[in-house]
């Protein structure tokens, strides 16, 4: 997904970001939860007016509805009091689901009661399913949301990781419906970061979210762009917001063979249900099961191979199917780009990066000419060859 420069953001939003950067406006996390009346509510009256209907914000994510990042974000939005908050998120972790959808299967929507001040449902599908379902008008009685926010994710969705991210895909799905959207991720450091950091991160996103909501109400926020927001690992000491470009950092994908030592303790969780049942039946009896299949597990070297014997009841075995188990590990490479304008560099320098993402991939006009010439040459070359 292509990114764009600062000039493609509205001047009013740029002014907000610039002002926040200069003044380092940072809410007091302690006072924000105890002060009454809340200062954000006073601000909302100035922005929206007391008689105006409050905008609706849909919150979703990729980690699942019970993730702390989503919870702190919803809490901050409700506490701010400038919008009505709806929540619709996957019932389980779908971080790397990208833009997958659930087709030809039935989705289950379950009401959730843990979000005070917000209406919430968990969905047995992907983040994109959640957004699509809400924007279709099938799950909430009110009109479609004015803004979709996806996050806060533990782990950055910057660089080329945005292509795998379910959270970014949820924001992109909103754009397909013409609804402005934000995706938010936090630079989580294993062994260092704590859940309380996510609360601080949510509070520090509020000035930007308020600016976006205000410009949506004014009709000046660009409809063809989502903002991908990355928060540094020390959110309380951030230097403010910085508009950035998407870096081209690639993640390293490694497929690991599940070792035989994990079979007895946890390998069953990687097998489909029918395989687990078959293995249990084979362990209970040496005879064939009622379905006529006997399964056994053999460890060879450090790999697991599941050997299935398939035959009709009372007949000799006809074939064996060998299955091996694998797990994908994603490792983000060290950032080496020295361009100060990219997302990962801004995060490294302590800024909250704000990267505009377009609905469609872009290319420069010269690239069009280049491939026009290439296509002409390729076709002519093929004709000459024939």
């Amino acid at each position: 997904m292509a990114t764009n420069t600062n000039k493609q953001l509205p001047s009013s939003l740029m002014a907000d970001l610039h002002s926040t950067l200069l003044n380092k406006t940072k809410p007091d996390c302690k006072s924000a939860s105890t002060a009454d009346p809340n200062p954000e509510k006073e601000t909302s009256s100035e922005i929206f007016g007391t008689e105006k209907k409050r905008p609706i914000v849909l919150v979703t994510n990729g980690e699942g509805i019970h993730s702390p990042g989503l919870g702190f974000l919803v809490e901050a939005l409700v506490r701010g009091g400038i919008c009505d908050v709806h929540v619709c998120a996957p019932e389980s972790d779908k971080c790397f689901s990208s833009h997958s959808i659930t087709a030809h299967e039935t989705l289950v929507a379950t009401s959730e009661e843990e979000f005070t001040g917000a209406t919430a449902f968990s969905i047995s599908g992907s983040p994109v399913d959640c957004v699509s379902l809400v924007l279709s008008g099938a799950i909430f009685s009110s009109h479609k949301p004015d803004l979709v926010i996806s996050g806060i994710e533990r782990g950055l969705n910057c660089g080329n990781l945005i292509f795998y991210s379910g959270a970014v895909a949820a924001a992109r799905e909103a754009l397909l419906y013409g609804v402005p959207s934000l995706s938010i991720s936090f630079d989580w450091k294993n062994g260092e970061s704590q859940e309380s950091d996510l609360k601080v991160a949510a509070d520090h996103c509020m000035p930007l979210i308020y600016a976006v909501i205000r410009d949506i109400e004014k009709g000046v926020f660009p409809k063809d762009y989502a903002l991908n927001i990355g928060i540094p690992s020390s959110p309380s000491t951030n230097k403010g917001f910085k508009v950035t470009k998407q870096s081209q950092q690639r993640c390293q994908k490694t497929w690991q063979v599940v070792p035989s030592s994990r079979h007895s303790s946890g390998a069953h969780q990687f097998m489909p249900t029918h395989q687990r049942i078959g293995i249990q039946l084979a362990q209970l009896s040496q005879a064939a099961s009622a379905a006529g299949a006997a399964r056994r597990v053999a460890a060879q070297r450090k790999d697991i191979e599941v050997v299935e014997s398939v035959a009709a009841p009372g007949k000799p075995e006809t074939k064996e199917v060998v299955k091996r188990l694998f797990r994908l590990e994603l490792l983000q490479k060290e950032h080496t780009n020295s361009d100060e304008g990219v997302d990962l560099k801004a995060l490294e320098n302590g800024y909250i990066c704000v990267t505009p993402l377009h609905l469609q991939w872009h290319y420069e006009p010269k690239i069009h000419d280049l491939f026009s010439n290439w296509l002409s040459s390729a076709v002519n070359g093929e004709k000459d060859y024939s």
Side-chain angles (χ1 to χ4, degrees), residues 260-279:
S260 59
S261 59
R262 296 189 58 179
H263 167 60
S264 59
S265 61
H268 286 188
Q269 63 181 316
F270 307 122
M271 298 181 183
T273 302
H274 71 277
Q275 287 185 351
R276 295 198 301 268
I277 295 175
I279 290 175

Side-chain angles (χ1 to χ4, degrees), residues 26-346:
K26 300 174 181 178
D28 185 337
C29 297
K30 294 182 179 179
S31 61
S33 60
T34 58
D36 189 23
N38 195 306
E40 284 88 354
K41 292 184 179 180
E42 296 178 359
T43 303
S44 67
S45 298
E46 296 174 2
I47 295 175
F48 300 105
T50 55
E51 298 181 357
K52 193 169 185 179
K53 185 177 180 180
R54 298 196 304 182
I56 297 174
V57 174
L58 169 66
V59 181
T60 188
N61 72 347
E63 291 185 337
I65 196 163
H66 301 296
S67 67
L70 181 142
F72 288 129
L73 179 59
V74 172
E75 179 184 314
L77 288 168
V78 171
R79 188 173 64 241
I82 72 170
C83 58
D84 292 331
V85 182
H86 292 169
V87 181
C88 187
E91 63 183 10
S92 59
D93 191 337
K94 303 290 184 180
C95 279
F96 293 104
S97 59
S98 189
H99 211 107
S100 65
I101 60 174
T102 302
H104 312 300
E105 294 181 21
T106 300
L107 289 179
V108 179
T110 306
S111 61
E112 301 286 342
E113 303 295 335
E114 64 182 271
F115 300 97
T116 303
T119 305
F121 282 88
S122 62
I123 304 297
S124 62
S126 69
V128 171
D129 288 330
C130 295
V131 174
S132 178
L133 185 63
V134 172
L135 296 182
S136 72
I139 192 168
F140 293 111
S141 59
S142 58
H143 65 82
K144 71 179 182 180
D146 301 280
L147 173 67
V148 172
I149 306 178
S150 184
I152 300 173
E153 305 292 289
R154 286 174 291 186
L156 289 175
N157 288 327
C158 296
N160 286 348
L161 282 175
I162 67 169
F163 296 108
Y164 305 101
S165 169
V168 175
R172 187 165 58 243
E173 179 72 5
L175 287 186
L176 291 174
Y177 284 81
V179 178
S181 58
L182 311 174
S183 52
I184 308 174
S185 59
F186 174 74
D187 189 11
W188 182 272
K189 303 292 187 183
N190 290 329
E192 300 178 15
S193 300
Q194 301 177 356
E195 284 192 6
S196 58
D197 293 327
L198 294 169
K199 183 181 187 304
V200 178
D203 289 334
H204 282 276
C205 285
M206 289 304 106
L208 176 59
I209 293 174
Y210 295 155
V212 171
I213 293 176
R214 184 188 60 215
D215 282 358
I216 290 173
E217 290 291 282
K218 292 180 178 179
V220 297
F221 191 82
K223 296 182 178 180
D224 296 331
Y225 292 86
L227 296 182
N228 188 36
I229 303 166
I231 305 170
S233 57
S234 298
S236 60
T237 59
N238 77 82
K239 298 178 180 178
F241 299 100
K242 186 173 184 179
V243 182
T244 57
K245 301 177 294 184
Q246 177 195 341
S247 62
Q248 297 302 309
Q249 182 190 41
R250 293 177 173 84
C251 60
Q252 178 180 347
K253 295 183 287 293
T254 303
W255 286 96
Q256 302 289 344
V257 178
V258 178
S260 59
S261 59
R262 296 189 58 179
H263 167 60
S264 59
S265 61
H268 286 188
Q269 63 181 316
F270 307 122
M271 298 181 183
T273 302
H274 71 277
Q275 287 185 351
R276 295 198 301 268
I277 295 175
I279 290 175
Q280 292 168 0
L281 290 172
Q283 291 174 339
L284 291 174
S285 173
Q286 295 295 326
S289 67
R295 295 174 173 84
R296 63 185 175 84
V297 177
Q300 297 182 1
R301 297 184 304 277
K302 292 184 178 180
D303 304 344
I304 284 183
E305 294 187 351
V306 179
V307 181
E308 293 187 354
S309 300
V310 181
K315 295 184 178 181
E317 298 179 355
T318 57
K319 65 177 181 179
E320 287 189 343
V321 179
V322 177
K323 297 184 179 181
R324 301 176 67 187
L325 307 180
F326 298 88
R327 284 177 62 87
L328 175 63
E329 301 291 340
L330 288 175
L331 301 176
Q332 191 161 320
K333 295 182 178 179
E334 291 296 325
H335 177 58
T336 57
N337 195 326
S338 59
D339 186 351
E340 295 291 334
V342 300
D343 46 18
L344 293 175
K345 190 66 175 180

